[in-house]
Every structure is written in structure tokens, then in C-alpha cells.
């Protein structure tokens, strides 16, 4: 079942109206807390008889005692032609003052219950409650899919700030919203008599005058046995009607008592429906349970947050599927392209491939994967597949594997291209499943499965070169991602290193331009960035950005990156040519899985070469002196010990708890960084056992080597790198 | 400060009482106070000389689950299965006036019968004996104030 459209449309329609319910609900929860704090409640075991006796003594003409949900005792009286309502101290029956319920609270309550529109509004509010219930359920289903099942529900959230805000808030308040909407529906059903709360007709009972004198309230056996804590209301017998009786209503039921004999004339137990209603009322309003009201209030206030973030996510997800020029009919095409994409980003790559093949004279048919079908004219078939959450296919392609299994195999050659993010445990798992299924069916392979990390245009272009060779024809795949607006940054200073392997490196520090307040508010431009985020740099004349890990955050007041010059590298060459005063065009791309979350647990930082840059940024930002331990692998202290002086200084300042350096090209230098970890196994194990977070930055082989060593160390703790990754404790930034 | 007469209701009642040679219409006008709450539930009914329930003239307010708050009427009329037949309408907003017309047998007038009104408002106190006025020719046209919610009550005999 695809919950996404349900969640989206309910959110847009019911969610918008629920704004009113959420805000007013939060206000009413504050009322509940305030009422509870101001109340003067009775002792828990005070008998109702004692309370009635005290009230009779202090208030003449008392007609009814009510115990408000807050615990306050209110007495209604009619004395000398005047109707009075008083708050009473149950300890002695003393009048505390007149009882005047707040008109403003009443107005908010009406707005919450019926939008001030009477019964039509009540029906509308009930419909919105139903919408909220379905929103909560569909949200839970989507979250389970996103997180990869119940067991991972408590894991760390990934994704953009807006996604995390939406999902993490949902995870926190889901149960409360489910309860609130379910109880609202029950109470609405009672309001519209779909649920009958009372026990039927009242008993026909009268007091029988056997003596002149009435029994005082304190001597009525039924009232002696009832506790004020359970009391809802107690009706005094009317002075004008000698046959009238006492009538008491408690959580357990209602009873009628003869005013002369004190006999219990009748007792009706509260119906099950009434008891459920009482619980629904308590859970929905928090009246009389201020701790719960403190939970309800923020849950109500979270609805505007859901609405805003949901709206942003909806707009972001509404990326239009590209219009494909020259999309040949399926039966005539010699090239078929099938796309599986949750958010639409993979379609951009499909379009690039489609256009390039059309330019080379092919007849290309591109479609989404659920339409997988291979005609006799087709000679090549491409599958471009994104993976979602725990290896699931995008929703629209959920049945693609079954469809492929049913499709007759032809002579066409297939190639699968997977899109995903290495931060996730199941990187490109769906593409792997597709590739395996096609292989098992017996399709011949044009190119082996290729995995594209974080929509990398470079990796896509490399695959295009492989494809050109396989097809034996020229083909260039120049994917132009939609780039965020860039900011001009001016170089303040540069620090040059000879670098290892004859590749000089430079630390570039750029000034932070003044921010317009509007951008700062909207979080645009360079409004927010932390060490570990990525700086996208556009070299002049180049449409594809190169990304560099940031060694500084916004609070440092500058933008710092460490760039190794690659042979033939356009962007690294451009950056190496910069002199102080020169400018670049750049933007920030968040790298949320990698940045540290600010918890006070130890951190093990492992970096090699220029990969130390984001780790340096973490240490620089470590004003709280979280114990950070850096393992830094370089080649030669004289050539590529980047940030060496700063690291020494931070050691002294305790920003950095310990520093282990190894130099692979120096005699007795200690080898590679994974060798240092292996030697330090005991110490690293102790840190990991204490819950240390791990951040690794460097080349892919280095990261793989580190993961192997850490898996060995973690084995004795019955843990693995994969488990730590799933919890967000372990993250890599590899290049 | 009563608003214009908004609620005019005519209740044509079949006579529940035997041997009524003649009957005459009685018009009852009830104007509510501005008590600062939602619409009031009102039960207008007759009791006989012994205080026993005789007949329901009008019930304002549509939700049966609130009828327990009109406690006097609810208790006395519980044996009358037709108590709501043709005599219900919407609750009456504060400051507004409810007009009810009923055909009453001549024999009921000046015979110890009483017109009673029970009133209740959501989240406010119940007022089971808001009005108790003897159904006598002498009382006709005289305004009476209620205890809590009714600013003025009067009935006219025609």
C-alpha cells in the first residue's frame, strides 16, 4: 500500500484545518495546567458525606456540589433569591471566593470543538480528527519504511533539516496525536448519540416523609462510602419539594438517597461507554492530570510545525518529471530506459542519458519502471533505480521485480545503474536486486551494475565513458544538476604544502560575506553551515560543481577548505591558482549524517591526507571540550602534515584530547592510520564501549581498511561498524 | 437587553387529558438573560395539583444526552414515552425569546396546575426549577423572573 499520497493529501487538506485544533488545543492544555496548579483539591480519601456536611454548614441554600476536573470544589447555591457559585475549601467548607469560569477559555474551547459553527462545526472537527488519525497512521507507516522497520525506529534520523524536523517531531508526538484524535472521535460519537452514555431512564424514586426531621448529609450511608476524589456532582434535595432526593454522581455511577431515612433508593453503575468516555476526556483534555497536559500542549503546538515542514517537503517533492523530447513509442525503440525514482531526482539522469542516445541516432523510449516491457525492436535496456530507506524500491516500482520475472527474455542487453547514498546501510540495494533478478532470468549484460553516490555527476560521466566503449560509439553524459544559488567568497589567505605523491595541497581560507537578514532567516546562502558540510565550488566555465569538506563552521567566521591538486583537475587547478583577494562562486551543501550532533560522548576522528579537514573543523568547534581523539595518517611530516601547528595548539587547549599521527613514507613512521588503530585496539575498544562516535574521512580504500580494523575491535563488544552506522554513531566522508 | 423575538414556535398538541369539552390556546413567552454561555436547554411542562407530571409543552435543545441536566422534568416525565412527540426544537441562545403556543383544556386552568421550566446550559449549573408558576387566570400576563437563566416569563390565555 502506498501511504505517501494519502499522507500528502490528508496533510494538505485536513492538516490545514487541524492548525486551528492544534493551536487551540495547546492553549487549552495550558488552561488545564493552570487550573490544576491553582486548584484547592480535597484529601484523597475525604468522604463525600463529610464534604456535604461542611458545605451545608457554611453555605445556606446549597443546591449542588461539583468537583471540577482540576480537583476544585464548586458549590452552587440559591439563597435569598440570588443564584451563587462559590469555590470552597474542602478541608473546612470555607468559601474561597466566587466561581467565575473564564470566558476566554470558553471561547477557545468552542473554537476547538466546533470552530464556533455549532453542530456543523462539530462534524467538521470530527472529520479533521479522523484526518489526524489517518495522518498519524500513514505517517507511522512512512516512517517505518524510511527507517527500515520497528527495530530501527529509535535510530538516528537522516536527511535534510526539514525532513528530520518533520519525521523526528512525528516520532516524538505520534502516540499523543493518535490518542488525541481517537479520543476526539469517541467524544464526537457521544455528542451525536452514536454512543449512548447513560444507563437508560432514571429510577422513579421519592423521599418518603416518615419523620419531621431530615438526616444531615454527614449521616447518609451512601455518601459516607464515596470518596470526593471520585465525585462528579452531588445534588441536594430541593427545599421546595419534600419528595425530592439526594442525587450523587461519581466515576462509578449514580445514586439516589432518601432525605429522611438516608436509605439508598437506587444505584445505577456507570455504563462501560461512560467509563470509556471519562478516560477519553482525561486523555484528550489533560484536565485533572497536569503532567499529561504538559505532554498534550506541545503535541498540539507541533501541528503548525508539521504543517510548515510538510508543505516545504511537498513542494520539494513536486519536482516535475522532465519532458522528454523524442520519446519513441516502446514498440519501435531500439533503446529502452526505465526509471525508478522516489523523489524524481533520478529522472534528471535519465533525461541526460535519453538525450545523449537520441543525439547518437537511437530511437529511445523512456518510461517509469513499473511499465517494464521489452519489445522485439529493443537491443539495449537501461534501468536507472534509486533505493529508498532499508533497500526498498521507490513506491511506484514496488512490483517491478515481479513484473520483470514475468517478462520474456529477449536478445537485448541490459545495464543497471543504481542511485543512493553510502551513508545508508543498504546502498543501492534495490538496484542490486534488479540486477540479480535480470541476471537470474538470463538477460545478457551490457555493463556490470554501477552505483552512483549522492547523485554524483562525475561518477555518472565515468559510467557514460564505459557505456560509450561498450556501445562502440561516442557518447558524453554531461549531467547538469539543478544547483542552488551561489555566493561570492573572497580568498583571505592560503597556506601551501608540498603534499604527498607530488600533488601539492593548499589550505584556503575565505572571508564570510555579510548576510542579508532575509537569507539568514530563510537559511539560504551561507546562513548555516558546520564543519563537515560540503562547499560546492564552481570553476569558471564549468557547470558541474566540485565538493570540498568544510574545515570551519559559520561560527568560526570564515570558510576553510583543504584542496589537493589533482592532475588535470579543472577545479583544483583553479583553486590552486587563487591569490588573496581573488573570488570564487560557491554554495554549501549540508552533509547531515556526518556533522557531529553535539552530544557529550567521546569522539574518535580518523582522517588521512586532506581528509583531516572536516575533522579539524570539529576540533576547532569543540568549545565544550568533548573528549576528541584524532588519528591522522599522512605521508611525510615535512610535506603533508596539514593543520599541524593548529593541532598542537588545540592539544594544549584541550580542544583535542589526544593526537596519534602516522607517516607512511617515513622510516618508523608507523605505517597507515589503520595500523595505528590496530596497535591502539585496547584503547579504541574502551572508547567505543563508552559510546564513542566515529567519523572517518579520506580515500575509499583507507575508509574500507579502517572499517575492517574497527570491525575486529568491535567484534569483542558484539558490535559492528554496520550497527554503529545504523545508529548514526559511525559516519564516513570518502572521496 | 433582550434581542428581537427570534424563536417563535407553535406547538399544536393533541389533548392528553380526557373530558375536555373546551380548550383554549395558551401562549408562553420566555426571554433569557445574557448569562454568558451557550444556548440553553429548556423543558416547559405542566404538573398537577399533587405535583405529578401532566404534560410536556416544549423541549428546547436537540441532544438527548443532555436531558438528564433538565433533571426535574427528566425524572417526572420518564414514564411518558411520548413526551418529546412534536414538541422539540433548537436550544435558545442567551438574550433570545422562546414563544410556545399550546392548546390547553379549560379544566386545567385554576385547577392547581403549574407551568414549570427546567433549564440547563453546557458547562454551567443546572436549574431544575427555573420557573414554577401556577396556571391561573389571575397569573396570566404577569411577568415572572427565573432563578438563573430566565429574565422574564409570562403566559397569555386567549
Amino acid at each position: 500500500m502506498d501511504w505517501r499520497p494519502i499522507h500528502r493529501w490528508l496533510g494538505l487538506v485536513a492538516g490545514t484545518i487541524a492548525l486551528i485544533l492544534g493551536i487551540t488545543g495547546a492553549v487549552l492544555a495550558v488552561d488545564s495546567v493552570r487550573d490544576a496548579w491553582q486548584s484547592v483539591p480535597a484529601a484523597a480519601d475525604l468522604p463525600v458525606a463529610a464534604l456535604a456536611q461542611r458545605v451545608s454548614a457554611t453555605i445556606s441554600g446549597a443546591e449542588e456540589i461539583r468537583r471540577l476536573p482540576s480537583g476544585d470544589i464548586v458549590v452552587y447555591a440559591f439563597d435569598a433569591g440570588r443564584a451563587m457559585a462559590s469555590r470552597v475549601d474542602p478541608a473546612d467548607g470555607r468559601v474561597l471566593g466566587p466561581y467565575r469560569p473564564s470566558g476566554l477559555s470558553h471561547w477557545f474551547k468552542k473554537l476547538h470543538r466546533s470552530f464556533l459553527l455549532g453542530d456543523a462545526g462539530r462534524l467538521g472537527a470530527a472529520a479533521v480528527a479522523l484526518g489526524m488519525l489517518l495522518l498519524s497512521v500513514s505517517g507511522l507507516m512512512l516512517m517505518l519504511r524510511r527507517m527500515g522497520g520497528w527495530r530501527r525506529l529509535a535510530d538516528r534520523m537522516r536527511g535534510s533539516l526539514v525532513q528530520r524536523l518533520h519525521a523526528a517531531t512525528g516520532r516524538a508526538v505520534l502516540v499523543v496525536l493518535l490518542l488525541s484524535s481517537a479520543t476526539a472521535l469517541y467524544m464526537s460519537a457521544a455528542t451525536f448519540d452514536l454512543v449512548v452514555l447513560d444507563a437508560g431512564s432514571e429510577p422513579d424514586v421519592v423521599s418518603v416523609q416518615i419523620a419531621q426531621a431530615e438526616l444531615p448529609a454527614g449521616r447518609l450511608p451512601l455518601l459516607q462510602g464515596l470518596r470526593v476524589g471520585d465525585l462528579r456532582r452531588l445534588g441536594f434535595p430541593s427545599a421546595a419539594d419534600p419528595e425530592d432526593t439526594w442525587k450523587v454522581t461519581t466515576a462509578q455511577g449514580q445514586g439516589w438517597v432518601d432525605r429522611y431515612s438516608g436509605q439508598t433508593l437506587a444505584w445505577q453503575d456507570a455504563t462501560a461507554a461512560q467509563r470509556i468516555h471519562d478516560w477519553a476526556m482525561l486523555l484528550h483534555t489533560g484536565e485533572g492530570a497536569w503532567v499529561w497536559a504538559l505532554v498534550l500542549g506541545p503535541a498540539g503546538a507541533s501541528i503548525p510545525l508539521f504543517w510548515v515542514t510538510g508543505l516545504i517537503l511537498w513542494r520539494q517533492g513536486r519536482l516535475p518529471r522532465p519532458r522528454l523530447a523524442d520519446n519513441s513509442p516502446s514498440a519501435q525503440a531500439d533503446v529502452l530506459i526505465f526509471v525508478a525514482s522516489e523523489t524524481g531526482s533520478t529522472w534528471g539522469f535519465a533525461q541526460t542519458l535519453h538525450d545523449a542516445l537520441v543525439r547518437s541516432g537511437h530511437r529511445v523510449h523512456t518510461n517509469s519502471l513499473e511499465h517494464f516491457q521489452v519489445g522485439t525492436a529493443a537491443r539495449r535496456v537501461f534501468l536507472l533505480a534509486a533505493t529508498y530507506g532499508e533497500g526498498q524500491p521507490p513506491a511506484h516500482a514496488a512490483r517491478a521485480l515481479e513484473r520483470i520475472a514475468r517478462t520474456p527474455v529477449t536478445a537485448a542487453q541490459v545495464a543497471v545503474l543504481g542511485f543512493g547514498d553510502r551513508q545508508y546501510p543498504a546502498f543501492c540495494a534495490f538496484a542490486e536486486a534488479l540486477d540479480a533478478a535480470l541476471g537470474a532470468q538470463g538477460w545478457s549484460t551490457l555493463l556490470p551494475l554501477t552505483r552512483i553516490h549522492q547523485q554524483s555527476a562525475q561518477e555518472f560521466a565515468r559510467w557514460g565513458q564505459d557505456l560509450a566503449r561498450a556501445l562502440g560509439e561516442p557518447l558524453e553524459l554531461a549531467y547538469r544538476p539543478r544547483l542552488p544559488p551561489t555566493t561570492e567568497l573572497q580568498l583571505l589567505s592560503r597556506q601551501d604544502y608540498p603534499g604527498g605523491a607530488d600533488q601539492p595541497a593548499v589550505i584556503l581560507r575565505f572571508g564570510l560575506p555579510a548576510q542579508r537578514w532575509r537569507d539568514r532567516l530563510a537559511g539560504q546562502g551561507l546562513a548555516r553551515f558546520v564543519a563537515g558540510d560540503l562547499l560546492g565550488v564552481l570553476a569558471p566555465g564549468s557547470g558541474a560543481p566540485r565538493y570540498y569538506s568544510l574545515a570551519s563552521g559559520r561560527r568560526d567566521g570564515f570558510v576553510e577548505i583543504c584542496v589537493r591538486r589533482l592532475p588535470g583537475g579543472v577545479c583544483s587547478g583553479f583553486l590552486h591558482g587563487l591569490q588573496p583577494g581573488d573570488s570564487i562562486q560557491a554554495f554549501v551543501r549540508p552533509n547531515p549524517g556526518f556533522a557531529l550532533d553535539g552530544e557529550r560522548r567521546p569522539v574518535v576522528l580518523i582522517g588521512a591526507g586532506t581528509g583531516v579537514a572536516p575533522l579539524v573543523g570539529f576540533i576547532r568547534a569543540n568549545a565544550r571540550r568533548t573528549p576528541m581523539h584524532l588519528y591522522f595518517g599522512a605521508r611525510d611530516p615535512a610535506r603533508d602534515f596539514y593543520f599541524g601547528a593548529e593541532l598542537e595548539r588545540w592539544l594544549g587547549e584541550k580542544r583535542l584530547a589526544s593526537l596519534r599521527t602516522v607517516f607512511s613514507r617515513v622510516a618508523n613512521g608507523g605505517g597507515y592510520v589503520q595500523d595505528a588503530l590496530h596497535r591502539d585496539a585496547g584503547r579504541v575498544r574502551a572508547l567505543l564501549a563508552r559510546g564513542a562516535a566515529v567519523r572517518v574521512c579520506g580515500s575509499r580504500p583507507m575508509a574500507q581498511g579502517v572499517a575492517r580494523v574497527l570491525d575486529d575491535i568491535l567484534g569483542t563488544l558484539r558490535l559492528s561498524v554496520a550497527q554503529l552506522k545504523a545508529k548514526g554513531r559511525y559516519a564516513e566522508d570518502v572521496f | 437587553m433582550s434581542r428581537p423575538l427570534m424563536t417563535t414556535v407553535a406547538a399544536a398538541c393533541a389533548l392528553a387529558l380526557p373530558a375536555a369539552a373546551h380548550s383554549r390556546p395558551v401562549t408562553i413567552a420566555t426571554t433569557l438573560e445574557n448569562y454568558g454561555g451557550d444556548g440553553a436547554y429548556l423543558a416547559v411542562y405542566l404538573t398537577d395539583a399533587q405535583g405529578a407530571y401532566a404534560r410536556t409543552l416544549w423541549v428546547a435543545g436537540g441532544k438527548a444526552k443532555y436531558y438528564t441536566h433538565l433533571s426535574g422534568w427528566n425524572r417526572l416525565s420518564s414514564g411518558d414515552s411520548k413526551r418529546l412527540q412534536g414538541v422539540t426544537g433548537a436550544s435558545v441562545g442567551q438574550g433570545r425569546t422562546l414563544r410556545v403556543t399550546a392548546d390547553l383544556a379549560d379544566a386545567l386552568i385554576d385547577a392547581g396546575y403549574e407551568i414549570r421550566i427546567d433549564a440547563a446550559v453546557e458547562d454551567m449549573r443546572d436549574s431544575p426549577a427555573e420557573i414554577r408558576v401556577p396556571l391561573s387566570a389571575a397569573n396570566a400576563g404577569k411577568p415572572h423572573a427565573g432563578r438563573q437563566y430566565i429574565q422574564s416569563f409570562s403566559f397569555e390565555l386567549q
Side-chain angles (χ1 to χ4, degrees):
Chain A
M1 177 143 186
D2 188 8
W3 293 95
R4 188 170 288 259
I6 298 174
H7 193 74
R8 179 188 303 143
W9 290 110
L10 273 175
L12 285 172
V13 180
T16 306
I17 311 172
L19 278 176
I20 301 176
L21 298 186
I23 294 166
T24 51
V27 171
L28 292 171
V30 172
D31 275 357
S32 290
V33 174
R34 190 203 50 204
D35 289 350
W37 284 354
Q38 291 176 350
S39 77
V40 182
D45 53 353
L46 180 69
V48 173
L51 175 66
Q53 186 73 45
R54 285 170 195 168
V55 166
S56 307
T58 51
I59 299 181
S60 63
E63 292 189 332
E64 184 178 316
I65 298 176
R66 260 191 220 188
R67 182 178 173 278
L68 303 184
S70 65
D72 256 343
I73 302 294
V74 170
V75 177
Y76 294 119
F78 193 77
D79 190 30
R82 262 178 3 109
M84 288 182 305
S86 320
R87 286 178 67 221
V88 162
D89 185 344
D92 50 12
R94 188 165 46 93
V95 174
L96 297 168
Y99 169 63
R100 281 194 216 96
S102 151
L104 190 65
S105 296
H106 184 70
W107 185 83
F108 269 110
K109 209 176 257 184
K110 266 168 71 172
L111 184 59
H112 186 79
R113 284 176 178 169
S114 65
F115 308 114
L116 310 178
L117 294 173
D119 271 356
R122 283 171 205 263
L123 277 177
V128 174
L130 183 63
M132 283 301 301
L133 188 73
L134 294 175
L135 269 172
S136 306
V137 171
S138 55
L140 174 66
M141 293 302 165
L142 289 171
M143 188 149 59
L144 285 174
R145 212 166 60 135
R146 180 187 169 82
M147 303 294 290
W150 288 99
R151 283 188 308 124
R152 297 186 182 237
L153 204 54
D155 284 359
R156 194 186 149 108
M157 294 277 176
R158 296 188 182 81
S160 71
L161 178 70
V162 178
Q163 281 173 328
R164 277 181 296 144
L165 263 179
H166 196 82
T169 315
R171 184 170 61 180
V173 303
L174 181 83
V175 174
V176 184
L177 291 182
L178 272 172
L179 272 176
S180 292
S181 38
T183 50
L185 283 173
Y186 187 82
M187 293 192 294
S188 297
T191 302
F192 289 103
D193 291 330
L194 298 175
V195 174
V196 179
L197 300 180
D198 40 326
S201 61
E202 295 192 1
D204 189 12
V205 290
V206 291
S207 296
V208 182
Q209 193 160 13
I210 47 166
Q212 279 305 311
E214 294 178 27
L215 276 186
R219 289 180 53 199
L220 302 173
L222 179 66
L223 302 191
Q224 285 170 344
L226 296 172
R227 295 171 340 120
V228 174
D230 296 327
L231 183 70
R232 299 276 187 271
R233 51 166 72 190
L234 171 66
F236 286 59
S238 159
D241 179 0
E243 290 194 338
D244 202 10
T245 61
W246 293 87
K247 184 183 171 189
V248 63
T249 308
T250 69
Q252 290 81 28
Q254 29 190 341
W256 290 260
V257 176
D258 188 299
R259 68 198 298 179
Y260 307 106
S261 68
Q263 266 183 328
T264 303
L265 299 169
W267 176 263
Q268 284 179 346
D269 276 328
T271 57
Q274 177 68 51
R275 285 168 193 260
I276 296 173
H277 191 269
D278 289 349
W279 271 104
M281 193 83 167
L282 178 80
L283 288 173
H284 192 87
T285 63
E287 283 179 340
W290 63 268
V291 178
W292 177 242
L294 283 178
V295 177
L296 287 171
S302 73
I303 288 177
L305 183 72
F306 275 119
W307 187 77
V308 170
T309 52
L311 211 61
I312 294 172
L313 290 173
W314 169 64
R315 291 200 44 174
Q316 285 174 351
R318 229 165 32 113
L319 292 173
R321 194 175 278 196
R323 254 173 216 288
L324 295 161
D326 308 314
N327 201 14
S328 303
S330 167
Q332 295 161 23
D334 68 309
V335 176
L336 303 175
I337 301 174
F338 294 105
V339 184
S341 173
E342 189 78 55
T343 56
S345 59
T346 308
W347 277 96
F349 289 95
Q351 186 175 27
T352 307
L353 177 62
H354 180 103
D355 292 347
L357 289 165
V358 167
R359 273 198 304 277
S360 328
H362 292 281
R363 299 167 75 87
V364 186
H365 173 74
T366 300
N367 207 336
S368 39
L369 183 59
E370 67 268 30
H371 302 293
F372 185 81
Q373 190 182 3
V374 183
T376 46
R379 298 187 50 228
R380 326 265 188 221
V381 181
F382 297 99
L383 279 73
L384 276 60
T387 297
Y388 186 67
E390 184 71 355
Q392 285 94 338
H396 69 88
R399 304 196 170 275
L401 287 172
E402 296 163 35
R403 194 177 168 92
I404 287 170
R406 285 200 309 270
T407 305
V409 178
T410 72
Q413 293 179 300
V414 300
V416 180
L417 191 57
F419 293 85
D421 189 322
R422 287 186 201 280
Q423 304 282 356
Y424 288 81
F427 176 51
C428 290
F430 178 56
E432 286 164 9
L434 283 175
D435 195 50
L438 290 165
Q441 285 283 105
W443 293 89
S444 57
T445 308
L446 175 65
L447 281 175
L449 169 69
T450 304
R451 300 168 186 82
I452 306 285
H453 169 60
Q454 281 189 351
Q455 301 165 25
S456 159
Q458 288 87 43
E459 290 177 25
F460 184 61
R462 271 201 293 280
W463 179 78
Q465 291 162 12
D466 294 344
L467 178 60
R469 271 192 295 281
L471 294 175
E473 55 190 70
L475 188 75
E476 194 191 347
L477 296 183
Y479 172 66
R480 295 264 182 281
R482 297 209 307 189
L483 293 178
T486 58
T487 305
E488 183 172 297
L489 297 179
Q490 199 172 47
L491 187 67
L492 294 178
S493 64
R494 57 179 291 161
Q495 195 180 350
D496 283 86
Y497 290 84
D502 294 328
Q503 290 174 348
V506 63
I507 296 172
L508 299 172
R509 182 176 288 194
F510 299 92
L512 208 50
Q515 274 266 304
R516 282 185 305 174
W517 67 268
R518 201 157 50 96
D519 289 348
R520 200 176 304 176
L521 209 64
Q524 278 174 346
L526 298 183
R528 267 189 289 268
F529 63 93
V530 292
D533 284 344
L534 301 171
L535 187 73
V537 179
L538 281 167
S542 160
R546 288 291 186 274
Y547 292 96
Y548 300 92
S549 296
L550 280 161
S552 64
R554 165 103 211 162
R555 282 193 194 153
D556 296 318
F558 53 84
V559 178
E560 195 165 76
I561 53 176
C562 183
V563 183
R564 189 160 57 108
R565 174 156 198 174
L566 299 171
V570 175
C571 197
S572 63
F574 160 68
L575 287 172
H576 271 257
L578 291 177
Q579 292 305 321
D582 292 348
S583 297
I584 61 165
Q585 291 295 327
F587 60 91
V588 166
R589 193 167 84 176
N591 191 8
F594 192 71
L596 289 173
D597 54 15
E599 284 182 32
R600 276 202 66 88
R601 55 187 178 188
V603 184
V604 179
L605 303 170
I606 303 162
T610 55
V612 79
L615 312 181
V616 159
F618 295 153
I619 300 163
R620 199 198 315 266
N622 184 21
R624 295 167 62 193
R625 307 296 193 264
T626 301
M628 290 186 174
H629 305 273
L630 175 62
Y631 286 83
F632 182 8
R635 289 165 188 250
D636 185 337
R639 301 181 65 86
D640 62 348
F641 186 25
Y642 310 121
F643 302 99
E646 283 97 329
L647 290 172
E648 294 293 343
R649 192 174 77 238
W650 292 332
L651 264 178
E653 293 173 5
K654 299 269 190 288
R655 275 177 202 271
L656 180 58
S658 77
L659 172 63
R660 296 279 202 277
T661 46
V662 286
F663 298 99
S664 59
R665 298 295 161 88
V666 175
N668 302 323
Y672 294 106
V673 72
Q674 49 266 49
D675 301 325
L677 288 168
H678 188 69
R679 283 193 295 274
D680 266 8
R683 172 172 182 262
V684 173
R685 185 178 299 117
L687 284 169
L688 291 171
R690 280 166 49 204
V694 182
R695 293 292 182 270
V696 182
C697 187
S699 68
R700 185 169 310 289
M702 167 265 183
Q704 286 166 348
V706 165
R708 269 195 300 276
V709 173
L710 288 182
D711 257 335
D712 282 347
I713 294 174
L714 283 164
T716 57
L717 300 173
R718 294 168 180 257
L719 284 170
S720 68
V721 166
Q723 281 172 313
L724 294 195
K725 269 187 181 175
K727 290 200 176 81
R729 269 177 66 189
Y730 191 106
E732 295 167 341
D733 183 5
V734 291
F735 45 81
Chain B
M1 195 186 73
S2 80
R3 286 188 226 169
L5 312 179
M6 293 297 291
T7 319
T8 305
V9 201
C13 303
L15 283 181
L17 299 164
H22 299 285
S23 68
R24 56 204 292 189
V26 177
T27 305
I28 297 166
T30 308
T31 302
L32 300 191
E33 299 261 13
N34 284 303
Y35 46 80
D38 292 340
Y41 273 54
L42 301 172
V44 187
Y45 58 108
L46 279 184
T47 53
D48 66 15
Q50 286 73 46
Y53 167 80
R55 210 177 109 185
T56 300
L57 301 179
W58 192 255
V59 177
K63 294 199 176 66
K65 74 165 185 169
Y66 296 130
Y67 289 166
T68 53
H69 295 272
L70 303 168
S71 56
W73 168 77
N74 194 45
R75 179 167 55 88
L76 292 171
S77 69
S78 60
D80 178 6
S81 60
K82 294 179 179 168
R83 63 180 186 172
L84 292 173
Q85 227 164 54
V87 292
T88 56
S91 60
V92 185
Q94 56 172 325
R96 305 210 171 178
T97 299
L98 170 75
R99 280 169 184 279
V100 178
T101 304
D103 272 342
L104 293 184
D106 284 339
L108 303 183
I109 294 155
D110 293 320
Y113 282 79
E114 256 183 3
I115 300 177
R116 294 193 192 183
I117 299 182
D118 288 6
V121 175
E122 188 173 11
D123 292 335
M124 296 177 78
R125 70 187 292 186
D126 300 345
S127 185
E130 176 76 20
I131 291 283
R132 287 180 72 166
V133 175
L135 181 61
S136 64
N139 266 332
K142 277 190 197 159
H144 299 265
R147 300 189 351 156
Q148 174 95 26
Y149 300 111
I150 294 176
Q151 186 186 58
S152 101
F153 162 90
S154 65
F155 67 91
E156 302 282 350
L157 297 170
Q158 283 159 20

